[in-house]
Amino acid sequence: MKWLFILASLAAWLQEGRPVTFSTNFDSGSLGDVVLIDSVWVRPSRTDSVLHLSYEIISRLDPDNPANPELQPSGRWFFFRMENVAGKHIYLNFRNTDPKRAVYSYNGKDFHRFEHYQASLRKVSALFTCDTVYVAYFIPYGWDMLQQRLVQWTGLSYVTMDTLGISMMGLPIQMLTVTDPQVPEKEKDRIWIHARVHPSESPASWQLDGLLDCLTEDSPVGREYRRRSVFYVVPFTNPDGVYGGYSRSNARGINQEINWDHPDSVTSVEVEALRSTMELLTADKPFDLVLNVHAQSSDKASYYIHTAESTSEEYYRKAMLLANLTTDDNPYFFPEDMFYSSPAPRYVEGWIWNRTQGKTLALTIEMPYSYYNENPEGEWVTIPSLRENGEFLLRAISDYFQWNVPGRYILEGTPKGNRTVYRYDMLPAGTYLIYIWEDAWIPYDTAVRKRPGPFRYLIRSKEKPYRGLLRVSSGRVE
Ligand SMILES: [Zn+2]
């Protein structure tokens, strides 16, 4: 009997090869439990046989939340390695999480989305061609990746890095400052951006990565951005969460997003570090803009716009201006994608509203994981499209503050009766497209300047005069 069992096991081993194993002992790795549901040999032809294995993948829940015990821990994020899968057909059924089409990689670096025929909500069905495969909710942007990027960015003379504090597990909370140190601070707009409060939200990091590359570019436009601004950027506000593969919490189970109104003794060390740095940096002058960069399971990019009723008409107008500038000429993000809410003090926006009463515009921006504009027929989210969204965001910030960068001048008008006069000191020679602003840039006119010189433009209105912004952009007139 015993011999029979050994022979049968040996036969199975010879036939099936080495058993499939699962592991997560790497940066951002996460998996709760795996249950083998079934294992079946299928003979697609007389000479061929394929092992079909189906698993239940139970993603790991965050620790119980000591600060908000009423909240259910999230288990959205998973990122694991499977070995010995070559030539086997693997079915994965996800629990505790909701991937629409998960991603995979054969080397842990270059990720692909499973094809439509291989994946659907909470399911994957794929025949793998390599022995090792990584599977994740979305393309990871982990601690090691950030450290490599920081080395590149901090190699530039206009980027410095500080440590705001140490996370519970001993990782530094890193902040980049990007600005042209030759230009006095008082002439600059001050912008604070932080991301990865929720560690599963790696699309936020890909977007921020694209923004930072544009901001640090050695180009006339990049140089002008840095002359006009100081950017304080905290790429990972929750480094333990990112490194440890958590979903929405830090290593203690705290959701850092909703603890801004708690005293230091109750909130996390990470929120404490962010708050004290922001207080220090705004002792003399508030930030002009604060962006809290996230990703969401809703299949669209969004800003959370605070209503005029919950803030002020002026604040709402500023928020809508930035939002509309971000969606302008953006193939991924549209005006109808916004959410509307009130600034509660547990969030960073509410904390800032209470401190500045609207002097600082503070907004949360969200990128999706799956597709844009709630359109599954449209483009699915990729690294290039997220990075492009970072570029669009920086362009919107530039227009919002009316930075005149080479080739793109945003002019405010002076009313003169029913006319509005726009002026710019020194416009280079060239052909220009002129736009007016009606919650989007609307082509209005063209202008040719044979030689460089002062620029003056007049809009005459018969009825209600146009008083809005004018954009003068270099371009080819068809
Ligand atoms: Zn979030």
Side-chain angles (χ1 to χ4, degrees):
M1 208 45 206
K2 199 174 163 193
W3 279 106
L4 265 179
F5 177 73
I6 292 171
L7 280 175
S9 307
L10 189 65
W13 184 82
L14 285 172
Q15 215 172 10
E16 297 181 15
R18 288 163 299 155
V20 173
T21 58
F22 291 76
S23 57
T24 58
N25 56 339
F26 45 86
D27 186 7
S28 290
S30 183
L31 175 62
D33 211 352
V34 180
V35 180
L36 178 68
I37 304 172
D38 205 358
S39 159
V40 181
W41 281 96
V42 173
R43 294 185 64 184
S45 69
R46 284 193 180 281
T47 54
D48 195 13
S49 54
V50 178
L51 182 60
H52 285 233
L53 294 163
S54 58
Y55 294 96
E56 194 148 61
I57 301 292
I58 303 154
S59 75
R60 194 187 73 199
L61 295 176
D62 289 342
D64 284 336
N65 185 333
N68 307 84
E70 74 284 4
L71 286 183
Q72 284 296 314
S74 170
R76 169 159 294 142
W77 183 249
F78 57 82
F79 179 23
F80 53 85
R81 181 173 52 216
M82 298 167 73
E83 267 152 317
N84 308 322
V85 295
K88 296 172 186 170
H89 195 117
I90 309 282
Y91 301 85
L92 305 174
N93 298 273
F94 294 95
R95 261 175 50 193
N96 291 347
T97 178
D98 57 355
K100 290 205 172 69
R101 264 170 74 202
V103 298
Y104 73 96
S105 166
Y106 285 130
N107 61 10
K109 288 187 180 68
D110 307 304
F111 281 82
H112 313 275
R113 219 182 254 285
F114 283 107
E115 296 296 335
H116 283 282
Y117 65 84
Q118 296 174 308
S120 57
L121 181 63
R122 297 195 182 88
K123 287 191 184 302
V124 161
S125 157
L127 182 70
F128 293 108
T129 53
C130 296
D131 240 1
T132 300
V133 67
Y134 293 78
V135 178
Y137 188 91
F138 188 77
I139 305 156
Y141 190 113
W143 176 259
D144 296 339
M145 165 87 188
L146 177 65
Q147 300 318 302
Q148 287 169 24
R149 300 295 281 139
L150 291 176
V151 168
Q152 293 171 331
W153 289 318
T154 55
L156 303 164
S157 61
Y158 37 85
V159 182
T160 53
M161 187 163 79
D162 293 284
T163 297
L164 310 187
I166 301 295
S167 73
M168 213 187 78
M169 305 296 280
L171 291 174
I173 302 165
Q174 297 156 313
M175 179 180 79
L176 294 176
T177 304
V178 186
T179 191
D180 180 343
Q182 311 296 327
V183 179
E185 274 241 1
K186 61 177 186 333
E187 294 170 21
K188 293 171 174 166
D189 295 306
R190 303 171 79 230
I191 296 132
W192 171 282
I193 303 182
H194 70 222
R196 296 302 281 282
V197 176
H198 294 141
S200 64
E201 296 172 358
S202 59
S205 288
W206 292 110
Q207 181 192 18
L208 186 57
D209 196 275
L211 182 149
L212 279 168
D213 263 354
C214 258
L215 181 63
T216 55
E217 197 177 81
D218 185 20
S219 67
V221 173
R223 284 194 283 277
E224 194 56 35
Y225 285 153
R226 298 188 294 273
R227 272 198 283 268
R228 301 298 305 260
S229 64
V230 189
F231 277 80
Y232 304 98
V233 181
V234 184
F236 288 174
T237 52
N238 180 359
D240 291 350
V242 173
Y243 186 75
Y246 292 86
S247 288
R248 287 176 73 79
S249 82
N250 68 3
R252 265 178 76 205
I254 291 180
N255 179 348
Q256 296 176 198
E257 180 68 359
I258 53 170
N259 275 276
W260 286 76
D261 58 340
H262 283 165
D264 285 356
S265 57
V266 180
T267 187
S268 68
V269 286
E270 295 85 359
V271 172
E272 204 182 315
L274 292 176
R275 253 184 347 205
S276 61
T277 307
M278 291 170 97
E279 278 166 357
L280 203 67
L281 289 172
T282 56
D284 298 328
K285 196 179 163 208
F287 293 127
D288 297 289
L289 176 64
V290 167
L291 290 173
N292 179 22
V293 185
H294 284 251
Q296 63 183 0
S297 55
S298 300
D299 295 308
K300 56 182 186 174
S302 303
Y303 275 107
Y304 275 86
I305 304 283
H306 297 127
T307 59
E309 296 73 40
S310 65
T311 56
S312 69
E313 283 294 339
E314 168 67 5
Y315 190 79
Y316 174 73
R317 193 194 57 74
K318 289 199 294 190
M320 286 309 295
L321 176 61
L322 182 66
N324 287 325
L325 283 166
T326 311
T327 56
D328 182 66
D329 199 18
N330 181 336
Y332 312 110
F333 191 2
F334 299 87
E336 68 268 21
D337 293 336
M338 307 303 162
F339 285 117
Y340 296 85
S341 66
S342 310
R346 64 180 181 278
Y347 299 106
V348 64
E349 294 105 300
W351 182 76
I352 288 186
W353 172 264
N354 288 343
R355 286 171 63 81
T356 69
Q357 299 300 312
K359 284 195 202 76
T360 302
L361 177 63
L363 288 169
T364 290
I365 184 167
E366 306 262 1
M367 285 293 122
Y369 292 98
S370 300
Y371 42 85
Y372 296 98
N373 196 227
E374 297 178 329
N375 177 17
E377 309 299 317
E379 189 174 339
W380 282 59
V381 179
T382 58
I383 293 176
S385 66
L386 290 167
R387 289 175 53 82
E388 252 186 284
N389 267 293
E391 293 175 27
F392 291 138
L393 177 57
L394 184 58
R395 186 192 67 191
I397 293 170
S398 171
D399 282 5
Y400 174 84
F401 287 113
Q402 296 171 36
W403 299 339
N404 292 315
V405 299
R408 193 172 174 109
Y409 308 87
I410 311 296
L411 311 180
E412 220 165 331
T414 313
K416 264 196 176 171
N418 67 345
R419 297 169 304 166
T420 308
V421 187
Y422 296 86
R423 286 195 173 84
Y424 187 66
D425 287 350
M426 183 57 72
L427 196 70
T431 301
Y432 292 93
L433 304 172
I434 293 177
Y435 299 80
I436 55 170
W437 178 253
E438 282 173 10
D439 294 340
W441 289 118
I442 310 289
Y444 184 75
D445 196 4
T446 56
V448 180
R449 288 289 171 274
K450 289 247 163 55
R451 52 187 80 80
F455 175 81
R456 184 174 177 277
Y457 192 83
L458 201 80
I459 294 188
R460 202 186 301 270
S461 322
K462 280 207 185 79
E463 285 146 28
K464 193 170 179 280
Y466 176 76
R467 303 293 192 208
L469 296 171
L470 196 77
R471 177 181 138 206
V472 181
S473 281
S474 54
R476 228 154 45 89
V477 180
E478 301 298 332

